[in-house]
């Protein structure tokens, strides 16, 4: 176990996350020296002291390293945080002999930083230089962040951040729960009898949003989850029909329904979706290796994926995304290559390559002893291979984000063919526009002053609670909207 001590409560999370990035398998315990005794039996201790400078001392068994950086008391929080992370990163690099691809960046939105620098008036070269010197990002990741930030700027150029908004609608049911799932998704079988009651509550919340936002411009709609195609065809028609009645669906720039799990997709459901102006769907294989699908509890076959994709094309969908995950248990580079080869044959319009991130809630973590023998491999070589395949499929990278506990400490990248990028994906990552979200576990995000300040209105996670407390969810939203539009 590694101990990490602080003399005050500031930037603990940043320091912890950076330490974890260097030592992903180690347990790390945090202490505040003024409140508790630091245990004497720790072999490794990182002590962080703030005063007129940040001073860090790393005691690693018998040896120790130290570093510091002075700062003025008047310096702002961001500068102080950057200095702390710079000192810590240099010491950890020295200790381990390692550098990290994203340097000392621990947040989930590196492209937002690149975008902010470019929008502040820096040239691409200046922004790249700033990122390398401030965050120690590698040349490759810096170039990737700058490239994607420029692509995003181009894709968002017609979005009205001030007057516009996007709509998210959550369907929190799945055919079975994947082993790595960290969403609060519920197995459909258990909730089958409640789905109509869930839709009643959801439509009530949508009615409120439609009325409250009637003077605003709706830019994108995203129906996600969970798996929206766990709904029966008539339930899908009820939901999409209601949205069509209440929102200006023909004016939106993008309308996505995440079909997601291939085992939930049928011709009837796809035909039901086609009755509405949906522009984009997702059919998500995650892997095209049957043994892995069984291991991760997806309960569908590779053939189901091929079949669902072919059905979607037959039904006329011309913008189909596929999601895959790299770093799944037991998968080596050859397995990922096989998945990419199979995807290439299907020829989707966009592809999102995720690095496995095991968050706290995932069963994979709860049963980690069971998977101890299993390797979780992801590295730059595999990510480079994915980029190569994406280019072969005429796709370029257009959005990027990171998550906590990512396998290989890398990133998730969305690739798309020309004109097939998912605008909603960029909006949610760059936090430029307010997103009104309906459904259990949906989180509405109000964006103030072009992203300077973000406030959220959260719905409860549990389906039964959501149904019984729908008026309270609407009230939370009403308060948020009133503050936002004031
Ligand atoms: S399909 Fe997605 S939301 Fe559903 S259980 Fe699997 S990972 Fe979770």
């Amino acid at each position: 176990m590694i101990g990490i001590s602080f003399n005050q409560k500031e930037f603990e999370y940043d320091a912890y996350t950076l330490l974890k990035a260097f030592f992903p398998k180690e347990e790390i315990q945090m202490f505040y020296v003024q409140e508790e005794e630091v245990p004497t039996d720790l072999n490794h201790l990182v002590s962080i002291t703030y005063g007129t400078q940040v001073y860090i001392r790393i005691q690693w068994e018998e040896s120790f390293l130290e570093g510091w950086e002075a700062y003025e008391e008047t310096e702002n929080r961001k500068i102080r945080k950057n200095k702390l992370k710079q000192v810590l990163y240099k010491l950890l690099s020295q200790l381990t002999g390692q550098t990290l691809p994203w340097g000392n960046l621990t947040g989930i939105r590196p492209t937002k930083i690149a975008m902010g620098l470019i929008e502040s008036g820096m040239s691409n070269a200046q922004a790249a230089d700033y990122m390398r010197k401030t965050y120690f990002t590698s040349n490759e990741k810096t170039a990737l962040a700058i490239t994607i930030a420029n692509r995003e700027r181009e894709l968002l150029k017609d979005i009205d951040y001030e007057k516009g908004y996007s709509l998210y609608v959550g369907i929190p049911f799945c055919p079975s729960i994947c082993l790595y799932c960290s969403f609060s998704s519920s197995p459909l079988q258990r909730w089958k009898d409640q789905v109509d009651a869930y839709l009643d509550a959801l439509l009530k919340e949508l009615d409120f949003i439609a009325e409250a936002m009637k003077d605003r411009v709706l830019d994108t709609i995203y129906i996600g989850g969970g798996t929206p195609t766990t709904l029966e065809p008539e339930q899908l028609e009820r939901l999409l029909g209601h949205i069509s009645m209440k929102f200006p669906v023909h004016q939106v720039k993008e309308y996505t329904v995440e079909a997601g799990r291939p085992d939930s997709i049928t011709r009837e459901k796809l035909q039901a979706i086609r009755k509405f102006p949906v522009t984009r769907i997702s059919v998500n294989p995650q892997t095209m290796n049957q043994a892995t699908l069984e291991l991760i509890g997806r309960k569908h076959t590779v053939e189901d994926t091929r079949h669902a994709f072919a059905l979607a094309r037959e039904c006329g969908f011309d913008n189909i995304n596929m999601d895959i995950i790299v770093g799944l248990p037991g998968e080596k580079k050859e397995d990922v290559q096989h998945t990419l080869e199979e995807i290439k044959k299907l020829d989707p319009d966009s592809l999102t390559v995720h690095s496995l991130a095991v968050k706290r809630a995932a069963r994979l973590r709860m049963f980690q002893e069971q998977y101890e023998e299993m390797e979780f491999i992801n590295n730059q070589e595999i990510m480079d291979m994915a980029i190569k395949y994406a280019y072969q499929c005429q796709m370029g990278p257009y959005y990027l984000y990171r998550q906590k506990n990512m396998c290989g400490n890398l990133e998730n990248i969305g690739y798309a063919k020309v004109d097939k990028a998912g605008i909603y994906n960029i909006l949610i990552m760059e936090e430029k526009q307010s997103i009104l979200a309906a459904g259990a576990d949906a989180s509405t995000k109000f964006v103030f002053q072009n992203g300077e300040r973000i406030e959220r209105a959260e719905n409860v996670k549990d389906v039964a609670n959501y149904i019984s407390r729908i008026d309270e969810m609407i009230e939370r939203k009403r308060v948020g909207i009133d503050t936002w539009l004031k």
Side-chain angles (χ1 to χ4, degrees), residues 174 176-178 180-181 183 185 226-227 261 298:
C174 283
S176 65
I177 305 303
C178 308
Y180 54 83
C181 181
F183 302 99
S185 188
T227 304
R261 288 270 293 257
R298 291 278 289 184

Side-chain angles (χ1 to χ4, degrees), residues 2-6 10-23 28 30 45-50 54-60 65-69 80-96 98 100 103-104 106 134-136:
I2 307 173
I4 178 163
S5 75
F6 300 87
E10 198 174 29
F11 311 130
E12 307 97 304
Y13 178 72
D14 300 275
Y16 170 91
T17 318
L18 190 51
L19 190 56
K20 194 77 185 164
F22 277 94
F23 299 101
I28 299 173
M30 293 203 276
L45 178 64
V46 177
S47 313
I48 299 182
T49 313
Y50 313 94
V54 55
Y55 169 75
I56 302 179
R57 184 180 198 274
I58 300 183
Q59 188 181 334
W60 210 260
L65 295 169
E66 60 181 351
W68 57 88
E69 188 78 57
R80 284 185 286 123
K81 182 165 86 173
N82 283 345
K83 285 188 174 173
L84 160 75
K85 289 172 84 177
Q86 285 165 354
V87 176
L88 184 59
Y89 182 85
K90 281 187 200 158
L91 290 176
L92 292 173
S93 275
Q94 199 182 329
L95 180 73
T96 59
Q98 266 185 50
L100 301 176
N104 65 32
T106 48
T134 310
Y135 308 114
F136 309 131

Side-chain angles (χ1 to χ4, degrees), residues 83 117 220 238 276 370 421 451:
K83 285 188 174 173
L117 295 172
T220 72
R238 183 178 169 213
F276 303 93
Q370 206 175 317

Side-chain angles (χ1 to χ4, degrees), residues 102 104-105 110-111 113-115 117 122 125-138 141-143 145-146:
W102 286 102
N104 65 32
L105 283 178
T111 51
I113 293 175
M115 172 106 79
L117 295 172
M122 284 189 191
Q126 286 167 330
D129 192 50
Y130 181 91
M131 286 187 74
R132 280 191 296 259
K133 287 190 175 136
T134 310
Y135 308 114
F136 309 131
T137 46
S138 70
K141 297 301 174 200
T142 307
I146 301 281

Side-chain angles (χ1 to χ4, degrees), residues 171-186 225-227 258-261 263 284 286 296-298 325 363:
I171 304 296
F173 310 109
C174 283
S176 65
I177 305 303
C178 308
L179 199 58
Y180 54 83
C181 181
S182 54
F183 302 99
S184 47
S185 188
S186 308
T227 304
E258 201 175 333
R261 288 270 293 257
D263 44 345
N284 297 332
Q286 310 306 4
I296 61 177
R298 291 278 289 184
I325 302 177
R363 283 189 294 154

